[in-house]
Amino acid sequence: MNLAAIGVPGLIIILVIILILFGPRKLPEVGAAIGKTLAEFKRSAKDIMEDEEEPKKIDTQEQVK
């Protein structure tokens, strides 16, 4: 099951449950925390991908010489 299988009704139910659990005052804080977490995850994933490609670049440069 992937995220696309949830659909709009499922997403609405999840959002309502989150609203009930955290309340309307805490919702912006929760959203900001989730956004920061996703941004940090993206940054880390990008760094890992760049680290994996760096040895390939060095190998190609050595082959040219």
Side-chain angles (χ1 to χ4, degrees), residues 16-56:
V16 168
I17 291 171
I18 291 173
L19 183 61
I20 291 170
L21 287 176
F22 293 107
R25 290 186 181 164
K26 290 282 186 178
L27 205 55
E29 294 174 21
V30 171
I34 291 172
K36 288 178 184 177
T37 302
L38 287 175
E40 182 64 30
F41 178 76
K42 280 179 148 180
R43 204 173 307 124
S44 298
K46 183 179 177 184
D47 288 343
I48 290 171
M49 295 300 286
E50 288 175 355
D51 287 345
E52 288 181 1
E53 293 203 10
E54 190 172 308
K56 292 178 185 175

